[in-house]
Amino acid sequence: EAQVTQNPRYLITVTGKKLTVTCSQNMNHEYMSWYRQDPGLGLRQIYYSMNVEVTDKGDVPEGYKVSRKEKRNFPLILESPSPNQTSLYFCASSLGQGDGYTFGSGTRLTVV
Amino acid sequence: GQNIDQPTEMTATEGAIVQINCTYQTSGFNGLFWYQQHAGEAPTFLSYNVLDGLEEKGRFSSFLSRSKGYSYLLLKELQMKDSASYLCAVPNFKAAGNKLTFGGGTRVLVKP
């Protein structure tokens, strides 16, 4: 089944404790993105990747890092999480420019 | 830049029809997406319009007018399971990485 798999689904952590949210897709898609979704603000792009070893900032990249060492994986790293990073996070992939996204199931992160 | 507007919330009765409007301003246009998102879940693709006119897909139809910067999603024969948020999104081809810019979403509540 074609899908984007994110883990974990839920995570509660403390301020400053490094964490990684994993994302993997099995569709051989070139493009991958991370979005966060907050009430009243909608979906905002954090980082994106156009291919292996090619990543760049989206609209809200502060406090996040990503890597794309393999085509299928695109982890999101929070080196020192803060409470304002409490949000619902989605990983998404697409075949190419102009194609729609397939989204992962989401990760609800709470930073206390 | 890009700007997308949609109503925040709509309420309708089971079996009825609801029309969700979306207006957009973009520098260049390359189609418009509609996604459905149930609370806490991933957005799922509904439609993609690149040419003017109405496209029908079962109970859901999507309309586009490029000259007016306007689209709508029409939901017919509403069912309780249609209670969800509906997101309008446009690709930004001037930005790398197949960026999709999303509207804030319209929450549709279907009542018995």
Side-chain angles (χ1 to χ4, degrees):
Chain A
E1 181 190 353
Q3 60 185 1
V4 178
T5 303
Q6 276 180 247
N7 280 296
R9 287 295 307 275
Y10 301 92
L11 180 58
I12 301 174
T13 191
V14 296
T15 299
K17 185 176 180 182
K18 181 179 177 180
L19 67 92
T20 299
V21 184
T22 63
C23 174
S24 181
Q25 51 96 1
N26 63 0
M27 296 167 282
N28 202 36
H29 283 172
E30 300 281 331
Y31 292 88
M32 297 186 76
S33 282
W34 276 102
Y35 280 79
R36 61 177 289 174
Q37 187 173 35
D38 303 288
L41 297 176
L43 282 158
R44 295 178 293 167
Q45 191 184 53
I46 304 170
Y47 266 94
Y48 64 88
S49 170
M50 292 187 285
N51 213 324
V52 175
E53 302 292 1
V54 181
T55 65
D56 208 345
K57 298 176 181 179
D59 296 321
V60 288
E62 294 77 22
Y64 304 94
K65 285 174 57 176
V66 293
S67 69
R68 188 96 180 270
K69 292 184 169 55
E70 306 162 282
K71 197 171 188 179
R72 63 185 291 123
N73 295 325
F74 190 44
L76 179 70
I77 303 153
L78 285 73
E79 294 271 3
S80 183
S82 61
N84 65 11
Q85 292 178 298
T86 292
S87 187
L88 179 59
Y89 291 86
F90 289 102
C91 179
S93 72
S94 68
L95 184 60
Q97 194 83 350
D99 291 314
Y101 285 146
T102 300
F103 284 85
S105 300
T107 296
R108 186 168 292 282
L109 172 66
T110 302
V111 184
V112 298
Chain B
Q2 296 183 291
N3 191 43
I4 302 173
D5 288 309
Q6 8 176 174
T8 305
E9 196 167 291
M10 303 179 76
T11 301
T13 305
E14 195 175 12
I17 299 172
V18 69
Q19 178 175 313
I20 305 166
N21 296 324
C22 170
T23 58
Y24 61 88
Q25 295 93 39
T26 62
S27 48
F29 179 75
N30 291 285
L32 185 143
F33 291 89
W34 283 98
Y35 283 83
Q36 180 192 57
Q37 185 181 25
H38 287 97
E41 297 183 11
T44 54
F45 171 83
L46 286 178
S47 66
Y48 175 56
N49 293 67
V50 65
L51 299 175
D52 289 350
L54 184 69
E55 291 195 11
E56 298 186 68
K57 212 185 276 187
R59 295 189 298 114
F60 292 6
S61 303
S62 55
F63 172 84
L64 176 68
S65 169
R66 290 173 294 174
S67 62
K68 295 182 179 177
Y70 168 69
S71 174
Y72 68 73
L73 182 69
L74 195 68
L75 284 60
K76 294 179 276 191
E77 300 169 20
L78 278 171
Q79 301 177 7
M80 298 300 290
K81 67 179 181 180
D82 297 330
S83 290
S85 288
Y86 292 86
L87 312 177
C88 173
V90 294
N92 184 350
F93 277 13
K94 291 193 175 182
N98 192 26
K99 178 180 177 179
L100 275 185
T101 299
F102 287 85
T106 300
R107 189 190 307 179
V108 172
L109 177 62
V110 180
K111 294 186 172 179

PDB file of all heavy atoms in Angstrom, chain B residues 3-37:
ATOM      1  N   ASN B   3      -2.174  34.402  -1.136  1.00  0.00           N
ATOM      2  CA  ASN B   3      -3.161  34.572  -0.091  1.00  0.00           C
ATOM      3  C   ASN B   3      -4.391  33.760  -0.454  1.00  0.00           C
ATOM      4  O   ASN B   3      -4.858  33.797  -1.602  1.00  0.00           O
ATOM      5  CB  ASN B   3      -3.526  36.054   0.051  1.00  0.00           C
ATOM      6  CG  ASN B   3      -4.342  36.289   1.289  1.00  0.00           C
ATOM      7  OD1 ASN B   3      -4.054  35.753   2.348  1.00  0.00           O
ATOM      8  ND2 ASN B   3      -5.386  37.087   1.150  1.00  0.00           N
ATOM      9  N   ILE B   4      -4.892  33.017   0.516  1.00  0.00           N
ATOM     10  CA  ILE B   4      -6.062  32.170   0.285  1.00  0.00           C
ATOM     11  C   ILE B   4      -7.074  32.432   1.382  1.00  0.00           C
ATOM     12  O   ILE B   4      -6.720  32.433   2.564  1.00  0.00           O
ATOM     13  CB  ILE B   4      -5.681  30.679   0.300  1.00  0.00           C
ATOM     14  CG1 ILE B   4      -4.626  30.396  -0.768  1.00  0.00           C
ATOM     15  CG2 ILE B   4      -6.901  29.817   0.083  1.00  0.00           C
ATOM     16  CD1 ILE B   4      -4.071  28.996  -0.704  1.00  0.00           C
ATOM     17  N   ASP B   5      -8.333  32.650   0.998  1.00  0.00           N
ATOM     18  CA  ASP B   5      -9.393  32.911   1.964  1.00  0.00           C
ATOM     19  C   ASP B   5     -10.509  31.900   1.813  1.00  0.00           C
ATOM     20  O   ASP B   5     -10.960  31.628   0.691  1.00  0.00           O
ATOM     21  CB  ASP B   5      -9.966  34.319   1.785  1.00  0.00           C
ATOM     22  CG  ASP B   5      -8.990  35.377   2.247  1.00  0.00           C
ATOM     23  OD1 ASP B   5      -8.481  35.253   3.381  1.00  0.00           O
ATOM     24  OD2 ASP B   5      -8.723  36.313   1.474  1.00  0.00           O
ATOM     25  N   GLN B   6     -10.959  31.367   2.950  1.00  0.00           N
ATOM     26  CA  GLN B   6     -12.131  30.514   2.975  1.00  0.00           C
ATOM     27  C   GLN B   6     -12.850  30.778   4.273  1.00  0.00           C
ATOM     28  O   GLN B   6     -12.249  31.207   5.253  1.00  0.00           O
ATOM     29  CB  GLN B   6     -11.810  29.016   2.886  1.00  0.00           C
ATOM     30  CG  GLN B   6     -10.421  28.555   2.972  1.00  0.00           C
ATOM     31  CD  GLN B   6     -10.258  27.041   2.969  1.00  0.00           C
ATOM     32  OE1 GLN B   6      -9.129  26.579   2.926  1.00  0.00           O
ATOM     33  NE2 GLN B   6     -11.318  26.262   3.018  1.00  0.00           N
ATOM     34  N   PRO B   7     -14.180  30.520   4.282  1.00  0.00           N
ATOM     35  CA  PRO B   7     -14.917  30.722   5.527  1.00  0.00           C
ATOM     36  C   PRO B   7     -14.419  29.768   6.595  1.00  0.00           C
ATOM     37  O   PRO B   7     -13.924  28.686   6.303  1.00  0.00           O
ATOM     38  CB  PRO B   7     -16.371  30.419   5.143  1.00  0.00           C
ATOM     39  CG  PRO B   7     -16.274  29.608   3.902  1.00  0.00           C
ATOM     40  CD  PRO B   7     -15.028  30.041   3.196  1.00  0.00           C
ATOM     41  N   THR B   8     -14.569  30.192   7.844  1.00  0.00           N
ATOM     42  CA  THR B   8     -14.043  29.394   8.954  1.00  0.00           C
ATOM     43  C   THR B   8     -14.904  28.177   9.243  1.00  0.00           C
ATOM     44  O   THR B   8     -14.384  27.084   9.493  1.00  0.00           O
ATOM     45  CB  THR B   8     -13.958  30.262  10.210  1.00  0.00           C
ATOM     46  OG1 THR B   8     -13.198  31.411   9.918  1.00  0.00           O
ATOM     47  CG2 THR B   8     -13.294  29.495  11.340  1.00  0.00           C
ATOM     48  N   GLU B   9     -16.214  28.371   9.183  1.00  0.00           N
ATOM     49  CA  GLU B   9     -17.106  27.298   9.594  1.00  0.00           C
ATOM     50  C   GLU B   9     -18.434  27.375   8.859  1.00  0.00           C
ATOM     51  O   GLU B   9     -18.896  28.465   8.519  1.00  0.00           O
ATOM     52  CB  GLU B   9     -17.348  27.412  11.107  1.00  0.00           C
ATOM     53  CG  GLU B   9     -17.932  26.199  11.758  1.00  0.00           C
ATOM     54  CD  GLU B   9     -17.845  26.292  13.281  1.00  0.00           C
ATOM     55  OE1 GLU B   9     -16.734  26.221  13.822  1.00  0.00           O
ATOM     56  OE2 GLU B   9     -18.899  26.455  13.905  1.00  0.00           O
ATOM     57  N   MET B  10     -19.029  26.202   8.605  1.00  0.00           N
ATOM     58  CA  MET B  10     -20.356  26.134   7.997  1.00  0.00           C
ATOM     59  C   MET B  10     -21.111  24.984   8.651  1.00  0.00           C
ATOM     60  O   MET B  10     -20.502  23.969   9.014  1.00  0.00           O
ATOM     61  CB  MET B  10     -20.253  25.904   6.479  1.00  0.00           C
ATOM     62  CG  MET B  10     -19.443  26.950   5.738  1.00  0.00           C
ATOM     63  SD  MET B  10     -19.324  26.646   3.976  1.00  0.00           S
ATOM     64  CE  MET B  10     -20.946  27.148   3.450  1.00  0.00           C
ATOM     65  N   THR B  11     -22.419  25.143   8.740  1.00  0.00           N
ATOM     66  CA  THR B  11     -23.265  24.092   9.291  1.00  0.00           C
ATOM     67  C   THR B  11     -24.335  23.751   8.273  1.00  0.00           C
ATOM     68  O   THR B  11     -24.881  24.643   7.617  1.00  0.00           O
ATOM     69  CB  THR B  11     -23.922  24.558  10.605  1.00  0.00           C
ATOM     70  OG1 THR B  11     -22.890  24.903  11.538  1.00  0.00           O
ATOM     71  CG2 THR B  11     -24.768  23.456  11.204  1.00  0.00           C
ATOM     72  N   ALA B  12     -24.619  22.463   8.109  1.00  0.00           N
ATOM     73  CA  ALA B  12     -25.648  22.032   7.165  1.00  0.00           C
ATOM     74  C   ALA B  12     -26.322  20.781   7.713  1.00  0.00           C
ATOM     75  O   ALA B  12     -25.809  20.132   8.637  1.00  0.00           O
ATOM     76  CB  ALA B  12     -25.037  21.768   5.799  1.00  0.00           C
ATOM     77  N   THR B  13     -27.443  20.450   7.103  1.00  0.00           N
ATOM     78  CA  THR B  13     -28.240  19.311   7.555  1.00  0.00           C
ATOM     79  C   THR B  13     -27.948  18.094   6.688  1.00  0.00           C
ATOM     80  O   THR B  13     -27.696  18.215   5.478  1.00  0.00           O
ATOM     81  CB  THR B  13     -29.739  19.655   7.472  1.00  0.00           C
ATOM     82  OG1 THR B  13     -29.966  20.858   8.219  1.00  0.00           O
ATOM     83  CG2 THR B  13     -30.591  18.539   8.039  1.00  0.00           C
ATOM     84  N   GLU B  14     -27.986  16.954   7.294  1.00  0.00           N
ATOM     85  CA  GLU B  14     -27.801  15.690   6.577  1.00  0.00           C
ATOM     86  C   GLU B  14     -28.732  15.641   5.365  1.00  0.00           C
ATOM     87  O   GLU B  14     -29.920  15.974   5.460  1.00  0.00           O
ATOM     88  CB  GLU B  14     -28.115  14.538   7.530  1.00  0.00           C
ATOM     89  CG  GLU B  14     -27.641  13.177   7.072  1.00  0.00           C
ATOM     90  CD  GLU B  14     -27.870  12.108   8.120  1.00  0.00           C
ATOM     91  OE1 GLU B  14     -28.592  12.379   9.105  1.00  0.00           O
ATOM     92  OE2 GLU B  14     -27.321  11.003   7.960  1.00  0.00           O
ATOM     93  N   GLY B  15     -28.186  15.248   4.217  1.00  0.00           N
ATOM     94  CA  GLY B  15     -28.969  15.168   2.995  1.00  0.00           C
ATOM     95  C   GLY B  15     -28.969  16.436   2.165  1.00  0.00           C
ATOM     96  O   GLY B  15     -29.366  16.419   0.995  1.00  0.00           O
ATOM     97  N   ALA B  16     -28.516  17.524   2.749  1.00  0.00           N
ATOM     98  CA  ALA B  16     -28.533  18.814   2.052  1.00  0.00           C
ATOM     99  C   ALA B  16     -27.271  18.983   1.203  1.00  0.00           C
ATOM    100  O   ALA B  16     -26.468  18.049   1.052  1.00  0.00           O
ATOM    101  CB  ALA B  16     -28.640  19.944   3.070  1.00  0.00           C
ATOM    102  N   ILE B  17     -27.141  20.193   0.634  1.00  0.00           N
ATOM    103  CA  ILE B  17     -25.983  20.554  -0.182  1.00  0.00           C
ATOM    104  C   ILE B  17     -25.248  21.705   0.503  1.00  0.00           C
ATOM    105  O   ILE B  17     -25.881  22.615   1.050  1.00  0.00           O
ATOM    106  CB  ILE B  17     -26.418  21.007  -1.593  1.00  0.00           C
ATOM    107  CG1 ILE B  17     -27.146  19.882  -2.321  1.00  0.00           C
ATOM    108  CG2 ILE B  17     -25.223  21.485  -2.411  1.00  0.00           C
ATOM    109  CD1 ILE B  17     -27.763  20.313  -3.646  1.00  0.00           C
ATOM    110  N   VAL B  18     -23.928  21.680   0.474  1.00  0.00           N
ATOM    111  CA  VAL B  18     -23.161  22.798   1.010  1.00  0.00           C
ATOM    112  C   VAL B  18     -22.090  23.190  -0.009  1.00  0.00           C
ATOM    113  O   VAL B  18     -21.510  22.331  -0.678  1.00  0.00           O
ATOM    114  CB  VAL B  18     -22.531  22.451   2.381  1.00  0.00           C
ATOM    115  CG1 VAL B  18     -21.422  21.420   2.246  1.00  0.00           C
ATOM    116  CG2 VAL B  18     -22.011  23.698   3.061  1.00  0.00           C
ATOM    117  N   GLN B  19     -21.883  24.486  -0.146  1.00  0.00           N
ATOM    118  CA  GLN B  19     -20.876  25.017  -1.065  1.00  0.00           C
ATOM    119  C   GLN B  19     -19.822  25.760  -0.260  1.00  0.00           C
ATOM    120  O   GLN B  19     -20.134  26.708   0.466  1.00  0.00           O
ATOM    121  CB  GLN B  19     -21.520  25.971  -2.075  1.00  0.00           C
ATOM    122  CG  GLN B  19     -20.524  26.615  -3.035  1.00  0.00           C
ATOM    123  CD  GLN B  19     -21.201  27.448  -4.094  1.00  0.00           C
ATOM    124  OE1 GLN B  19     -22.179  27.027  -4.723  1.00  0.00           O
ATOM    125  NE2 GLN B  19     -20.696  28.649  -4.332  1.00  0.00           N
ATOM    126  N   ILE B  20     -18.574  25.357  -0.401  1.00  0.00           N
ATOM    127  CA  ILE B  20     -17.473  25.972   0.330  1.00  0.00           C
ATOM    128  C   ILE B  20     -16.655  26.798  -0.656  1.00  0.00           C
ATOM    129  O   ILE B  20     -16.110  26.266  -1.625  1.00  0.00           O
ATOM    130  CB  ILE B  20     -16.563  24.909   0.963  1.00  0.00           C
ATOM    131  CG1 ILE B  20     -17.374  23.959   1.835  1.00  0.00           C
ATOM    132  CG2 ILE B  20     -15.453  25.570   1.778  1.00  0.00           C
ATOM    133  CD1 ILE B  20     -16.624  22.703   2.222  1.00  0.00           C
ATOM    134  N   ASN B  21     -16.597  28.092  -0.418  1.00  0.00           N
ATOM    135  CA  ASN B  21     -15.919  28.986  -1.342  1.00  0.00           C
ATOM    136  C   ASN B  21     -14.457  29.200  -0.953  1.00  0.00           C
ATOM    137  O   ASN B  21     -14.099  29.141   0.233  1.00  0.00           O
ATOM    138  CB  ASN B  21     -16.628  30.339  -1.383  1.00  0.00           C
ATOM    139  CG  ASN B  21     -18.040  30.229  -1.929  1.00  0.00           C
ATOM    140  OD1 ASN B  21     -18.312  29.436  -2.825  1.00  0.00           O
ATOM    141  ND2 ASN B  21     -18.945  31.015  -1.375  1.00  0.00           N
ATOM    142  N   CYS B  22     -13.644  29.465  -1.940  1.00  0.00           N
ATOM    143  CA  CYS B  22     -12.224  29.746  -1.725  1.00  0.00           C
ATOM    144  C   CYS B  22     -11.803  30.815  -2.724  1.00  0.00           C
ATOM    145  O   CYS B  22     -12.019  30.659  -3.927  1.00  0.00           O
ATOM    146  CB  CYS B  22     -11.409  28.472  -1.928  1.00  0.00           C
ATOM    147  SG  CYS B  22      -9.624  28.712  -1.965  1.00  0.00           S
ATOM    148  N   THR B  23     -11.244  31.895  -2.231  1.00  0.00           N
ATOM    149  CA  THR B  23     -10.676  32.915  -3.121  1.00  0.00           C
ATOM    150  C   THR B  23      -9.177  32.960  -2.891  1.00  0.00           C
ATOM    151  O   THR B  23      -8.704  32.730  -1.774  1.00  0.00           O
ATOM    152  CB  THR B  23     -11.291  34.300  -2.892  1.00  0.00           C
ATOM    153  OG1 THR B  23     -11.093  34.674  -1.522  1.00  0.00           O
ATOM    154  CG2 THR B  23     -12.776  34.300  -3.200  1.00  0.00           C
ATOM    155  N   TYR B  24      -8.454  33.239  -3.953  1.00  0.00           N
ATOM    156  CA  TYR B  24      -6.997  33.206  -3.846  1.00  0.00           C
ATOM    157  C   TYR B  24      -6.380  34.338  -4.654  1.00  0.00           C
ATOM    158  O   TYR B  24      -6.946  34.826  -5.628  1.00  0.00           O
ATOM    159  CB  TYR B  24      -6.454  31.860  -4.340  1.00  0.00           C
ATOM    160  CG  TYR B  24      -6.758  31.562  -5.782  1.00  0.00           C
ATOM    161  CD1 TYR B  24      -5.908  31.981  -6.801  1.00  0.00           C
ATOM    162  CD2 TYR B  24      -7.922  30.882  -6.135  1.00  0.00           C
ATOM    163  CE1 TYR B  24      -6.200  31.731  -8.129  1.00  0.00           C
ATOM    164  CE2 TYR B  24      -8.225  30.627  -7.462  1.00  0.00           C
ATOM    165  CZ  TYR B  24      -7.372  31.051  -8.448  1.00  0.00           C
ATOM    166  OH  TYR B  24      -7.672  30.818  -9.763  1.00  0.00           O
ATOM    167  N   GLN B  25      -5.227  34.772  -4.198  1.00  0.00           N
ATOM    168  CA  GLN B  25      -4.389  35.700  -4.955  1.00  0.00           C
ATOM    169  C   GLN B  25      -3.004  35.073  -5.037  1.00  0.00           C
ATOM    170  O   GLN B  25      -2.413  34.727  -4.015  1.00  0.00           O
ATOM    171  CB  GLN B  25      -4.278  37.074  -4.272  1.00  0.00           C
ATOM    172  CG  GLN B  25      -5.577  37.848  -4.179  1.00  0.00           C
ATOM    173  CD  GLN B  25      -6.295  37.618  -2.883  1.00  0.00           C
ATOM    174  OE1 GLN B  25      -5.669  37.527  -1.832  1.00  0.00           O
ATOM    175  NE2 GLN B  25      -7.611  37.505  -2.943  1.00  0.00           N
ATOM    176  N   THR B  26      -2.536  34.855  -6.242  1.00  0.00           N
ATOM    177  CA  THR B  26      -1.221  34.248  -6.429  1.00  0.00           C
ATOM    178  C   THR B  26      -0.467  34.972  -7.525  1.00  0.00           C
ATOM    179  O   THR B  26      -1.079  35.555  -8.425  1.00  0.00           O
ATOM    180  CB  THR B  26      -1.317  32.771  -6.837  1.00  0.00           C
ATOM    181  OG1 THR B  26      -1.995  32.683  -8.087  1.00  0.00           O
ATOM    182  CG2 THR B  26      -2.052  31.951  -5.808  1.00  0.00           C
ATOM    183  N   SER B  27       0.842  34.920  -7.469  1.00  0.00           N
ATOM    184  CA  SER B  27       1.680  35.425  -8.557  1.00  0.00           C
ATOM    185  C   SER B  27       1.965  34.233  -9.452  1.00  0.00           C
ATOM    186  O   SER B  27       2.894  33.475  -9.204  1.00  0.00           O
ATOM    187  CB  SER B  27       2.956  36.029  -7.997  1.00  0.00           C
ATOM    188  OG  SER B  27       3.542  35.157  -7.064  1.00  0.00           O
ATOM    189  N   GLY B  28       1.133  34.050 -10.455  1.00  0.00           N
ATOM    190  CA  GLY B  28       1.198  32.847 -11.286  1.00  0.00           C
ATOM    191  C   GLY B  28       0.227  31.821 -10.751  1.00  0.00           C
ATOM    192  O   GLY B  28       0.017  31.721  -9.540  1.00  0.00           O
ATOM    193  N   PHE B  29      -0.395  31.077 -11.621  1.00  0.00           N
ATOM    194  CA  PHE B  29      -1.386  30.092 -11.170  1.00  0.00           C
ATOM    195  C   PHE B  29      -1.083  28.750 -11.818  1.00  0.00           C
ATOM    196  O   PHE B  29      -0.848  28.656 -13.022  1.00  0.00           O
ATOM    197  CB  PHE B  29      -2.799  30.549 -11.554  1.00  0.00           C
ATOM    198  CG  PHE B  29      -3.865  29.572 -11.138  1.00  0.00           C
ATOM    199  CD1 PHE B  29      -4.248  29.479  -9.809  1.00  0.00           C
ATOM    200  CD2 PHE B  29      -4.446  28.727 -12.064  1.00  0.00           C
ATOM    201  CE1 PHE B  29      -5.216  28.567  -9.411  1.00  0.00           C
ATOM    202  CE2 PHE B  29      -5.408  27.812 -11.682  1.00  0.00           C
ATOM    203  CZ  PHE B  29      -5.800  27.727 -10.359  1.00  0.00           C
ATOM    204  N   ASN B  30      -1.102  27.702 -10.971  1.00  0.00           N
ATOM    205  CA  ASN B  30      -0.832  26.365 -11.467  1.00  0.00           C
ATOM    206  C   ASN B  30      -1.771  25.352 -10.851  1.00  0.00           C
ATOM    207  O   ASN B  30      -1.354  24.283 -10.429  1.00  0.00           O
ATOM    208  CB  ASN B  30       0.632  26.003 -11.177  1.00  0.00           C
ATOM    209  CG  ASN B  30       1.588  26.827 -12.008  1.00  0.00           C
ATOM    210  OD1 ASN B  30       1.750  26.606 -13.198  1.00  0.00           O
ATOM    211  ND2 ASN B  30       2.200  27.806 -11.379  1.00  0.00           N
ATOM    212  N   GLY B  31      -3.043  25.718 -10.785  1.00  0.00           N
ATOM    213  CA  GLY B  31      -4.017  24.767 -10.291  1.00  0.00           C
ATOM    214  C   GLY B  31      -4.380  25.001  -8.847  1.00  0.00           C
ATOM    215  O   GLY B  31      -3.743  25.771  -8.122  1.00  0.00           O
ATOM    216  N   LEU B  32      -5.443  24.343  -8.425  1.00  0.00           N
ATOM    217  CA  LEU B  32      -5.941  24.491  -7.061  1.00  0.00           C
ATOM    218  C   LEU B  32      -6.384  23.128  -6.548  1.00  0.00           C
ATOM    219  O   LEU B  32      -7.052  22.377  -7.246  1.00  0.00           O
ATOM    220  CB  LEU B  32      -7.099  25.495  -7.043  1.00  0.00           C
ATOM    221  CG  LEU B  32      -7.666  25.862  -5.678  1.00  0.00           C
ATOM    222  CD1 LEU B  32      -8.058  27.337  -5.634  1.00  0.00           C
ATOM    223  CD2 LEU B  32      -8.850  24.976  -5.317  1.00  0.00           C
ATOM    224  N   PHE B  33      -5.977  22.841  -5.323  1.00  0.00           N
ATOM    225  CA  PHE B  33      -6.306  21.563  -4.690  1.00  0.00           C
ATOM    226  C   PHE B  33      -7.378  21.758  -3.625  1.00  0.00           C
ATOM    227  O   PHE B  33      -7.436  22.792  -2.955  1.00  0.00           O
ATOM    228  CB  PHE B  33      -5.073  20.976  -3.999  1.00  0.00           C
ATOM    229  CG  PHE B  33      -3.988  20.495  -4.923  1.00  0.00           C
ATOM    230  CD1 PHE B  33      -2.996  21.354  -5.345  1.00  0.00           C
ATOM    231  CD2 PHE B  33      -3.957  19.177  -5.341  1.00  0.00           C
ATOM    232  CE1 PHE B  33      -1.980  20.909  -6.185  1.00  0.00           C
ATOM    233  CE2 PHE B  33      -2.945  18.724  -6.176  1.00  0.00           C
ATOM    234  CZ  PHE B  33      -1.950  19.587  -6.596  1.00  0.00           C
ATOM    235  N   TRP B  34      -8.169  20.719  -3.437  1.00  0.00           N
ATOM    236  CA  TRP B  34      -9.052  20.617  -2.272  1.00  0.00           C
ATOM    237  C   TRP B  34      -8.698  19.336  -1.523  1.00  0.00           C
ATOM    238  O   TRP B  34      -8.525  18.269  -2.128  1.00  0.00           O
ATOM    239  CB  TRP B  34     -10.521  20.568  -2.674  1.00  0.00           C
ATOM    240  CG  TRP B  34     -11.088  21.895  -3.050  1.00  0.00           C
ATOM    241  CD1 TRP B  34     -11.258  22.401  -4.306  1.00  0.00           C
ATOM    242  CD2 TRP B  34     -11.607  22.895  -2.153  1.00  0.00           C
ATOM    243  NE1 TRP B  34     -11.836  23.647  -4.253  1.00  0.00           N
ATOM    244  CE2 TRP B  34     -12.058  23.978  -2.938  1.00  0.00           C
ATOM    245  CE3 TRP B  34     -11.729  22.984  -0.761  1.00  0.00           C
ATOM    246  CZ2 TRP B  34     -12.622  25.130  -2.381  1.00  0.00           C
ATOM    247  CZ3 TRP B  34     -12.284  24.125  -0.210  1.00  0.00           C
ATOM    248  CH2 TRP B  34     -12.724  25.180  -1.015  1.00  0.00           C
ATOM    249  N   TYR B  35      -8.591  19.493  -0.201  1.00  0.00           N
ATOM    250  CA  TYR B  35      -8.320  18.366   0.683  1.00  0.00           C
ATOM    251  C   TYR B  35      -9.414  18.303   1.747  1.00  0.00           C
ATOM    252  O   TYR B  35      -9.958  19.327   2.160  1.00  0.00           O
ATOM    253  CB  TYR B  35      -6.971  18.517   1.396  1.00  0.00           C
ATOM    254  CG  TYR B  35      -5.763  18.200   0.548  1.00  0.00           C
ATOM    255  CD1 TYR B  35      -5.229  19.163  -0.302  1.00  0.00           C
ATOM    256  CD2 TYR B  35      -5.168  16.951   0.601  1.00  0.00           C
ATOM    257  CE1 TYR B  35      -4.116  18.879  -1.081  1.00  0.00           C
ATOM    258  CE2 TYR B  35      -4.047  16.660  -0.174  1.00  0.00           C
ATOM    259  CZ  TYR B  35      -3.538  17.632  -1.007  1.00  0.00           C
ATOM    260  OH  TYR B  35      -2.436  17.342  -1.775  1.00  0.00           O
ATOM    261  N   GLN B  36      -9.684  17.077   2.207  1.00  0.00           N
ATOM    262  CA  GLN B  36     -10.579  16.865   3.339  1.00  0.00           C
ATOM    263  C   GLN B  36      -9.740  16.443   4.534  1.00  0.00           C
ATOM    264  O   GLN B  36      -8.813  15.626   4.391  1.00  0.00           O
ATOM    265  CB  GLN B  36     -11.603  15.769   3.023  1.00  0.00           C
ATOM    266  CG  GLN B  36     -12.579  15.473   4.149  1.00  0.00           C
ATOM    267  CD  GLN B  36     -13.380  14.197   3.897  1.00  0.00           C
ATOM    268  OE1 GLN B  36     -12.823  13.129   3.717  1.00  0.00           O
ATOM    269  NE2 GLN B  36     -14.700  14.327   3.866  1.00  0.00           N
ATOM    270  N   GLN B  37     -10.053  16.985   5.700  1.00  0.00           N
ATOM    271  CA  GLN B  37      -9.312  16.603   6.899  1.00  0.00           C
ATOM    272  C   GLN B  37     -10.265  16.402   8.061  1.00  0.00           C
ATOM    273  O   GLN B  37     -10.873  17.356   8.544  1.00  0.00           O
ATOM    274  CB  GLN B  37      -8.267  17.661   7.256  1.00  0.00           C
ATOM    275  CG  GLN B  37      -7.380  17.249   8.426  1.00  0.00           C
ATOM    276  CD  GLN B  37      -6.354  18.288   8.804  1.00  0.00           C
ATOM    277  OE1 GLN B  37      -6.519  19.472   8.567  1.00  0.00           O
ATOM    278  NE2 GLN B  37      -5.259  17.846   9.412  1.00  0.00           N
TER     279      GLN B  37
END
